[in-house]
């Protein structure tokens, strides 16, 4: 019989303190997420020092709750998984130091997980039969990547943003329209009441065939539109600005994702990261994948934004592929997809 592995996973790379307990990678026994969003709202974005301090306050409680909810204790844990990059260095260090202390005191293996890779693994939790190869569009507050996942732990980055991440563009545009933080979910909601064809904002495709992204030109176009309207004394329709901006982002995301899947000859497309929660993106991808005969999978909203369950799932597959770290594992704020530490 297959050995059962119980994993305790920690995530603290940005403004969510999270702990999860999983059985054999895909079965989530608990996934506790303590969000700091309310704390950072008044600053209009995440303040790194404030985030680190809050992680320190929260982490023990979050771990206790995750163990309680999963009905396990420390002695049942076989493996500790933790995000060690990319992210805010002070925030990462809180989860990493806690994970190291636990691994050392319990004498259990420690697996360092790449946060962006973790987002992809959220799909394995939701779709029990999903296996690589597939194309994954990872769109979050800090990252926008098109990745060809060939096998567990084997990634080819086909394209990424050259400036702002998709979520960052949502957040900055929302702030400019005066909508609050985080902007993505608010723009998503507002867009449903707006006309997506009201304003023709630019779609940036870069060079022919490029799978890279650029959203800073679009962001500037929205800011110019707002300034011009203000100078001319024309009042803007927020719903229309939101819907037109959102459509400009998702048109490019979807076109490039379909192109990537065709180019790599895969039949499955998955999406991941906070912006994968966007209803317009999901709808357009659904239409375009059906038209082109691709299978489309995405995680539930709760697994799109930052959480430790996805980190635990990635830790499981990294571990069975031979990865475990020693006590020298350090936080790497700009960790790249596919970059690994030395196996011990
Ligand atoms: O993956 P995530 O929780 O954190 C990072 O790793 O960055 O993503 C957060 C980002 C924020 O920029 C937020 O505005 C965006 O995801 N987001 C959305 C939606 N929900 C969250 N963007 C567009 N539509 C949404 N429904
Ligand atoms: Zn994330």
């Amino acid at each position: 019989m297959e050995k059962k592995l119980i994993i305790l996973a920690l995530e603290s790379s940005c403004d969510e303190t999270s702990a999860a307990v999983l059985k054999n990678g895909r079965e989530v026994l608990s996934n506790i997420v303590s969000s700091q969003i309310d704390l950072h709202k008044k600053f209009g974005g995440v303040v790194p020092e404030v985030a680190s301090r809050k992680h320190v306050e929260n982490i023990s409680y979050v771990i206790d709750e995750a163990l309680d909810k999963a009905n396990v204790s420390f002695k049942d844990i076989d493996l500790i998984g933790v995000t060690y990059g990319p992210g805010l260095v002070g925030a990462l260090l809180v989860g990493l130091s806690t994970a190291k202390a636990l691994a050392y005191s319990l004498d259990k293996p420690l697996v360092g997980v790449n946060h962006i890779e973790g987002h992809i693994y959220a799909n394995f939790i939701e779709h029990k039969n999903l296996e690589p190869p597939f194309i994954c569009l990872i769109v979050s507050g800090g990252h926008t990547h098109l990745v060809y996942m060939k096998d567990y732990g084997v990634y080819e980055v086909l394209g990424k943003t050259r400036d702002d991440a998709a979520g960052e563009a949502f957040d900055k545009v929302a702030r400019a329209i005066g909508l609050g933080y985080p902007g993505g979910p608010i723009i998503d909601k507002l867009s449903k009441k707006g006309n997506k064809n009201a304003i023709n904002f630019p779609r940036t495709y870069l060079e022919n065939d490029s799978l890279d992204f650029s959203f800073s030109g679009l962001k500037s176009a929205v800011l110019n539109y707002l300034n011009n309207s203000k100078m001319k004394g024309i009042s803007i329709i927020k719903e229309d600005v939101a819907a037109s901006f959102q459509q400009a982002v998702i048109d490019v995301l979807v076109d490039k994702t379909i192109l990537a899947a065709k180019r790599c000859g895969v039949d499955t497309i998955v999406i991941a990261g906070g912006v994968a929660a966007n209803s317009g993106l999901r709808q357009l991808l659904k239409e375009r994948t059906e038209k082109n005969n691709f299978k489309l999978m995405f995680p539930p909203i709760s697994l799109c934004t930052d959480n430790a369950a996805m980190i635990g799932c990635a830790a499981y597959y990294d571990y069975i592929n031979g990865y475990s770290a020693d006590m020298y594992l350090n936080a790497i704020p700009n960790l790249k997809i596919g970059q690994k530490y030395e196996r011990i």
Side-chain angles (χ1 to χ4, degrees), residues 230-293:
K230 196 172 169 192
M231 278 181 347
K232 290 179 189 157
I234 304 168
S235 57
I236 59 150
I237 302 170
K238 288 185 179 183
E239 290 80 356
D240 285 354
V241 180
S244 302
F245 159 76
Q246 177 171 296
Q247 196 60 36
V249 175
I250 63 183
D251 275 352
V252 179
L253 290 176
V254 171
D255 282 345
K256 295 205 179 221
T257 305
I258 300 283
L259 178 63
K262 285 184 178 166
R263 204 178 278 175
C264 295
V266 297
D267 64 2
T268 303
I269 291 175
V270 312
I271 55 172
V275 183
N278 186 270
S279 57
L281 175 64
R282 288 175 176 225
Q283 183 55 35
L284 187 61
L285 259 178
K286 196 166 166 288
E287 288 163 21
R288 295 284 301 283
T289 47
E290 271 168 17
K291 198 169 147 212
N292 288 278
N293 291 322

Coordinates of all heavy atoms in Angstrom, one line a residue, residues 230-293:
K230 N -10.9 64.9 -16.6 CA -10.9 65.9 -15.5 C -10.7 67.3 -16.0 O -11.4 68.3 -15.7 CB -9.9 65.5 -14.5 CG -10.1 66.1 -13.1 CD -9.1 65.5 -12.2 CE -9.1 66.3 -10.9 NZ -8.0 65.9 -10.0
M231 N -9.7 67.5 -16.9 CA -9.3 68.8 -17.4 C -10.5 69.4 -18.2 O -10.7 70.6 -18.2 CB -8.1 68.7 -18.2 CG -6.9 68.8 -17.3 SD -5.2 68.7 -18.0 CE -5.4 68.3 -19.6
K232 N -11.2 68.5 -18.9 CA -12.3 69.0 -19.8 C -13.6 69.1 -19.0 O -14.6 69.5 -19.6 CB -12.5 68.0 -21.0 CG -11.4 68.1 -22.0 CD -11.7 67.1 -23.1 CE -10.5 67.0 -24.0 NZ -10.4 65.7 -24.7
G233 N -13.5 68.7 -17.7 CA -14.7 68.8 -16.9 C -15.8 67.8 -17.2 O -17.0 67.9 -16.9
I234 N -15.3 66.7 -17.9 CA -16.3 65.6 -18.2 C -16.3 64.6 -17.1 O -15.2 64.1 -16.7 CB -15.9 64.9 -19.6 CG1 -15.7 65.9 -20.7 CG2 -16.8 63.8 -19.9 CD1 -15.0 65.4 -21.9
S235 N -17.4 64.2 -16.6 CA -17.4 63.2 -15.5 C -17.3 61.8 -16.2 O -18.0 61.5 -17.2 CB -18.6 63.3 -14.6 OG -19.8 63.2 -15.4
I236 N -16.5 61.0 -15.5 CA -16.3 59.6 -16.1 C -17.4 58.6 -15.6 O -17.9 58.8 -14.5 CB -14.9 59.1 -15.8 CG1 -14.7 59.0 -14.3 CG2 -13.8 59.9 -16.4 CD1 -13.8 57.9 -13.8
I237 N -17.6 57.6 -16.4 CA -18.5 56.5 -15.9 C -17.5 55.4 -15.5 O -16.9 54.7 -16.3 CB -19.4 56.0 -17.0 CG1 -20.2 57.2 -17.5 CG2 -20.3 54.9 -16.5 CD1 -21.0 56.9 -18.8
K238 N -17.4 55.3 -14.1 CA -16.4 54.3 -13.6 C -16.6 52.9 -14.1 O -15.7 52.2 -14.4 CB -16.5 54.3 -12.0 CG -16.0 55.5 -11.4 CD -16.0 55.4 -9.9 CE -15.4 56.7 -9.2 NZ -15.3 56.7 -7.8
E239 N -17.9 52.5 -14.2 CA -18.2 51.1 -14.7 C -17.6 50.9 -16.1 O -17.1 49.8 -16.4 CB -19.7 50.9 -14.7 CG -20.4 50.8 -13.3 CD -20.6 52.2 -12.7 OE1 -20.2 53.2 -13.3 OE2 -21.2 52.2 -11.6
D240 N -17.7 51.9 -16.9 CA -17.2 51.8 -18.3 C -15.7 51.8 -18.4 O -15.1 51.0 -19.1 CB -17.8 53.0 -19.2 CG -19.2 52.8 -19.6 OD1 -19.8 51.7 -19.2 OD2 -19.8 53.7 -20.1
V241 N -15.1 52.6 -17.5 CA -13.6 52.6 -17.5 C -13.1 51.3 -17.0 O -12.2 50.7 -17.6 CB -13.1 53.7 -16.6 CG1 -11.5 53.7 -16.5 CG2 -13.6 55.1 -17.0
A242 N -13.8 50.8 -16.0 CA -13.4 49.4 -15.4 C -13.5 48.3 -16.4 O -12.6 47.5 -16.7 CB -14.2 49.1 -14.2
A243 N -14.7 48.3 -17.1 CA -15.0 47.2 -18.1 C -14.0 47.3 -19.3 O -13.5 46.3 -19.8 CB -16.4 47.3 -18.5
S244 N -13.8 48.5 -19.8 CA -12.9 48.7 -20.9 C -11.5 48.3 -20.6 O -10.8 47.7 -21.4 CB -13.0 50.1 -21.5 OG -14.3 50.5 -21.8
F245 N -11.0 48.8 -19.4 CA -9.7 48.4 -19.0 C -9.5 46.9 -18.8 O -8.6 46.3 -19.4 CB -9.3 49.1 -17.7 CG -8.2 48.4 -16.9 CD1 -6.9 48.6 -17.3 CD2 -8.5 47.6 -15.8 CE1 -5.9 48.0 -16.6 CE2 -7.5 47.0 -15.1 CZ -6.1 47.1 -15.5
Q246 N -10.5 46.3 -18.1 CA -10.4 44.8 -17.9 C -10.4 44.1 -19.2 O -9.6 43.1 -19.4 CB -11.6 44.4 -17.0 CG -11.7 42.9 -16.8 CD -12.7 42.5 -15.8 OE1 -12.6 42.9 -14.6 NE2 -13.7 41.8 -16.2
Q247 N -11.2 44.5 -20.2 CA -11.3 43.8 -21.5 C -9.9 43.9 -22.2 O -9.5 42.9 -22.8 CB -12.4 44.4 -22.3 CG -12.8 43.5 -23.5 CD -13.3 42.1 -23.1 OE1 -13.9 42.0 -22.0 NE2 -12.9 41.1 -23.8
A248 N -9.3 45.1 -22.1 CA -8.0 45.2 -22.7 C -6.9 44.3 -22.1 O -6.1 43.7 -22.8 CB -7.5 46.7 -22.6
V249 N -7.0 44.1 -20.8 CA -6.1 43.1 -20.2 C -6.4 41.7 -20.6 O -5.5 41.0 -21.1 CB -6.2 43.2 -18.6 CG1 -5.3 42.2 -18.0 CG2 -5.8 44.6 -18.1
I250 N -7.6 41.3 -20.5 CA -7.9 39.9 -20.7 C -7.8 39.5 -22.2 O -7.5 38.4 -22.5 CB -9.3 39.4 -20.1 CG1 -10.5 40.2 -20.7 CG2 -9.2 39.6 -18.6 CD1 -11.8 39.8 -20.0
D251 N -8.1 40.4 -23.1 CA -7.9 40.1 -24.6 C -6.5 39.6 -24.8 O -6.3 38.6 -25.5 CB -8.2 41.4 -25.4 CG -9.7 41.6 -25.7 OD1 -10.5 40.6 -25.4 OD2 -10.0 42.6 -26.3
V252 N -5.5 40.4 -24.3 CA -4.1 40.0 -24.5 C -3.8 38.7 -23.8 O -3.1 37.8 -24.4 CB -3.2 41.1 -24.1 CG1 -1.7 40.8 -24.3 CG2 -3.5 42.4 -24.8
L253 N -4.2 38.6 -22.5 CA -3.9 37.4 -21.8 C -4.4 36.1 -22.5 O -3.7 35.1 -22.6 CB -4.5 37.4 -20.4 CG -3.9 38.4 -19.4 CD1 -4.7 38.4 -18.1 CD2 -2.5 38.1 -19.1
V254 N -5.7 36.2 -23.0 CA -6.3 35.0 -23.6 C -5.6 34.7 -25.0 O -5.3 33.6 -25.2 CB -7.8 35.2 -23.7 CG1 -8.5 34.1 -24.6 CG2 -8.5 35.3 -22.3
D255 N -5.4 35.8 -25.8 CA -4.8 35.5 -27.1 C -3.5 34.8 -27.0 O -3.2 33.9 -27.7 CB -4.6 36.9 -27.8 CG -5.9 37.4 -28.4 OD1 -6.8 36.6 -28.5 OD2 -5.9 38.6 -28.8
K256 N -2.6 35.3 -26.0 CA -1.3 34.7 -25.9 C -1.3 33.3 -25.3 O -0.5 32.5 -25.6 CB -0.4 35.7 -25.1 CG -0.2 37.0 -25.8 CD 1.1 37.7 -25.4 CE 1.2 39.0 -26.2 NZ 2.6 39.3 -26.6
T257 N -2.3 33.1 -24.4 CA -2.4 31.8 -23.8 C -2.8 30.7 -24.9 O -2.2 29.6 -24.9 CB -3.4 31.8 -22.7 OG1 -3.1 32.8 -21.7 CG2 -3.5 30.4 -21.9
I258 N -3.7 31.1 -25.7 CA -4.1 30.2 -26.8 C -3.0 29.9 -27.8 O -2.7 28.8 -28.2 CB -5.4 30.8 -27.6 CG1 -6.6 31.0 -26.6 CG2 -5.7 29.9 -28.8 CD1 -7.3 29.7 -26.2
L259 N -2.3 31.0 -28.1 CA -1.1 30.9 -29.0 C -0.1 30.0 -28.4 O 0.5 29.1 -29.1 CB -0.5 32.3 -29.2 CG 0.7 32.4 -30.1 CD1 0.4 31.9 -31.5 CD2 1.3 33.8 -30.2
A260 N 0.2 30.1 -27.1 CA 1.2 29.2 -26.4 C 0.8 27.8 -26.5 O 1.6 26.9 -26.7 CB 1.3 29.7 -24.9
A261 N -0.5 27.5 -26.2 CA -1.0 26.1 -26.2 C -0.9 25.5 -27.6 O -0.5 24.4 -27.8 CB -2.4 26.0 -25.8
K262 N -1.2 26.3 -28.7 CA -1.1 25.8 -30.0 C 0.4 25.5 -30.4 O 0.7 24.5 -31.0 CB -1.6 26.9 -31.0 CG -3.1 26.9 -31.0 CD -3.6 27.9 -32.1 CE -5.2 27.9 -32.1 NZ -5.7 29.1 -32.9
R263 N 1.3 26.5 -29.9 CA 2.7 26.3 -30.3 C 3.3 25.1 -29.6 O 4.1 24.4 -30.2 CB 3.4 27.6 -29.8 CG 4.7 27.8 -30.5 CD 5.3 29.1 -30.1 NE 4.8 30.3 -30.7 CZ 5.2 31.5 -30.4 NH1 6.1 31.7 -29.4 NH2 4.6 32.6 -31.0
C264 N 2.9 24.8 -28.4 CA 3.5 23.6 -27.7 C 2.7 22.3 -28.0 O 3.2 21.3 -27.5 CB 3.5 23.9 -26.2 SG 4.5 25.3 -25.8
G265 N 1.6 22.4 -28.6 CA 0.9 21.2 -29.0 C 0.3 20.4 -27.8 O 0.2 19.2 -27.8
V266 N -0.1 21.2 -26.8 CA -0.7 20.5 -25.6 C -2.3 20.6 -25.8 O -2.7 21.4 -26.6 CB -0.3 21.2 -24.3 CG1 1.1 21.1 -24.0 CG2 -0.8 22.6 -24.3
D267 N -3.0 19.8 -25.0 CA -4.5 19.9 -25.1 C -5.1 20.5 -23.9 O -6.3 20.6 -23.8 CB -5.1 18.5 -25.5 CG -4.9 17.5 -24.3 OD1 -4.3 17.9 -23.3 OD2 -5.3 16.4 -24.5
T268 N -4.3 20.9 -22.9 CA -4.9 21.4 -21.7 C -4.3 22.8 -21.3 O -3.1 23.0 -21.4 CB -4.6 20.4 -20.5 OG1 -5.2 19.2 -20.9 CG2 -5.3 20.9 -19.2
I269 N -5.2 23.7 -20.9 CA -4.7 25.0 -20.4 C -5.2 25.2 -19.0 O -6.4 24.8 -18.7 CB -5.3 26.1 -21.3 CG1 -4.7 26.1 -22.7 CG2 -5.2 27.5 -20.6 CD1 -5.3 27.1 -23.7
V270 N -4.4 25.6 -18.1 CA -4.8 25.9 -16.7 C -4.4 27.3 -16.4 O -3.5 27.9 -17.0 CB -4.2 24.9 -15.6 CG1 -4.4 23.5 -16.1 CG2 -2.8 25.2 -15.3
I271 N -5.2 27.9 -15.4 CA -4.8 29.3 -15.0 C -4.6 29.3 -13.5 O -5.2 28.4 -12.8 CB -5.9 30.3 -15.4 CG1 -7.3 30.0 -15.0 CG2 -5.8 30.5 -16.9 CD1 -8.3 31.1 -15.2
A272 N -3.9 30.3 -13.0 CA -3.5 30.3 -11.6 C -3.2 31.7 -11.1 O -2.9 32.6 -12.0 CB -2.3 29.4 -11.3
G273 N -3.2 31.9 -9.8 CA -2.9 33.3 -9.3 C -4.1 34.1 -9.0 O -5.2 33.8 -9.5
G274 N -4.0 35.2 -8.3 CA -5.1 36.0 -7.9 C -6.0 36.5 -9.0 O -7.2 36.4 -8.9
V275 N -5.4 36.9 -10.1 CA -6.2 37.4 -11.2 C -7.0 36.3 -11.9 O -7.9 36.5 -12.7 CB -5.3 38.2 -12.2 CG1 -6.1 38.8 -13.4 CG2 -4.5 39.3 -11.5
A276 N -6.6 35.0 -11.7 CA -7.3 33.9 -12.3 C -8.7 33.8 -11.7 O -9.6 33.1 -12.2 CB -6.6 32.6 -12.0
A277 N -9.0 34.6 -10.6 CA -10.3 34.7 -10.0 C -11.2 35.6 -10.9 O -12.4 35.6 -10.7 CB -10.2 35.3 -8.6
N278 N -10.6 36.3 -11.8 CA -11.4 37.3 -12.6 C -12.5 36.6 -13.5 O -12.2 35.8 -14.3 CB -10.5 38.1 -13.5 CG -11.2 39.3 -14.2 OD1 -11.7 39.1 -15.3 ND2 -11.2 40.4 -13.5
S279 N -13.7 37.1 -13.3 CA -14.8 36.4 -14.0 C -14.8 36.7 -15.5 O -15.1 35.8 -16.3 CB -16.2 36.9 -13.5 OG -16.3 38.3 -13.6
G280 N -14.3 37.8 -15.9 CA -14.2 38.1 -17.4 C -13.2 37.3 -18.0 O -13.4 36.7 -19.1
L281 N -12.0 37.1 -17.3 CA -11.0 36.2 -17.9 C -11.4 34.8 -18.0 O -11.2 34.1 -19.0 CB -9.7 36.3 -16.9 CG -8.6 35.4 -17.3 CD1 -8.0 35.7 -18.6 CD2 -7.5 35.5 -16.2
R282 N -12.1 34.3 -17.0 CA -12.6 32.9 -17.0 C -13.6 32.7 -18.1 O -13.5 31.7 -18.8 CB -13.3 32.6 -15.7 CG -12.3 32.4 -14.5 CD -13.0 32.2 -13.2 NE -12.0 31.9 -12.2 CZ -12.1 31.0 -11.3 NH1 -13.1 30.2 -11.2 NH2 -11.1 30.8 -10.4
Q283 N -14.5 33.7 -18.3 CA -15.5 33.6 -19.4 C -14.9 33.6 -20.8 O -15.2 32.7 -21.6 CB -16.5 34.7 -19.2 CG -17.7 34.7 -20.2 CD -18.5 33.4 -20.1 OE1 -18.6 32.7 -19.0 NE2 -18.9 32.9 -21.3
L284 N -14.0 34.5 -21.0 CA -13.4 34.6 -22.3 C -12.5 33.4 -22.6 O -12.5 32.8 -23.7 CB -12.5 35.9 -22.5 CG -12.0 36.2 -23.9 CD1 -13.1 36.4 -24.9 CD2 -11.1 37.5 -23.9
L285 N -11.8 32.9 -21.6 CA -11.0 31.7 -21.8 C -11.8 30.5 -22.1 O -11.5 29.7 -22.9 CB -10.1 31.5 -20.6 CG -8.6 31.9 -20.6 CD1 -8.0 31.6 -19.3 CD2 -7.9 31.2 -21.8
K286 N -13.0 30.4 -21.4 CA -13.9 29.3 -21.6 C -14.3 29.3 -23.1 O -14.3 28.3 -23.7 CB -15.1 29.5 -20.7 CG -15.9 28.3 -20.5 CD -16.8 28.4 -19.3 CE -17.9 27.4 -19.3 NZ -18.9 27.5 -20.3
E287 N -14.8 30.5 -23.6 CA -15.2 30.6 -25.0 C -14.1 30.2 -25.9 O -14.3 29.4 -26.9 CB -15.7 32.0 -25.3 CG -17.0 32.4 -24.6 CD -17.3 33.9 -24.6 OE1 -16.7 34.6 -25.4 OE2 -18.0 34.3 -23.7
R288 N -12.9 30.8 -25.7 CA -11.9 30.5 -26.7 C -11.3 29.1 -26.6 O -10.9 28.6 -27.7 CB -10.8 31.6 -26.5 CG -11.2 33.0 -26.8 CD -11.3 33.3 -28.2 NE -10.0 33.1 -28.9 CZ -9.0 34.0 -28.8 NH1 -9.1 35.1 -28.2 NH2 -7.9 33.7 -29.4
T289 N -11.3 28.5 -25.5 CA -10.8 27.1 -25.4 C -11.8 26.2 -26.0 O -11.4 25.2 -26.7 CB -10.4 26.7 -23.9 OG1 -11.5 27.1 -23.1 CG2 -9.2 27.4 -23.4
E290 N -13.1 26.4 -25.8 CA -14.1 25.6 -26.4 C -14.0 25.6 -27.9 O -14.0 24.6 -28.6 CB -15.5 26.0 -26.0 CG -15.9 25.3 -24.7 CD -17.2 25.9 -24.1 OE1 -17.9 26.7 -24.8 OE2 -17.4 25.6 -22.9
K291 N -13.8 26.9 -28.4 CA -13.7 27.1 -29.9 C -12.5 26.3 -30.5 O -12.5 25.8 -31.6 CB -13.6 28.6 -30.1 CG -13.9 29.0 -31.5 CD -14.1 30.5 -31.6 CE -13.6 30.9 -33.0 NZ -13.0 32.2 -33.0
N292 N -11.4 26.3 -29.7 CA -10.1 25.7 -30.2 C -9.9 24.3 -29.7 O -8.8 23.8 -29.8 CB -9.0 26.6 -29.8 CG -8.9 27.9 -30.6 OD1 -8.5 28.0 -31.7 ND2 -9.5 29.0 -30.0
N293 N -10.9 23.7 -29.1 CA -10.8 22.3 -28.6 C -9.7 22.1 -27.5 O -9.0 21.1 -27.6 CB -10.6 21.4 -29.7 CG -11.9 21.3 -30.6 OD1 -13.0 21.3 -30.0 ND2 -11.7 21.2 -31.9

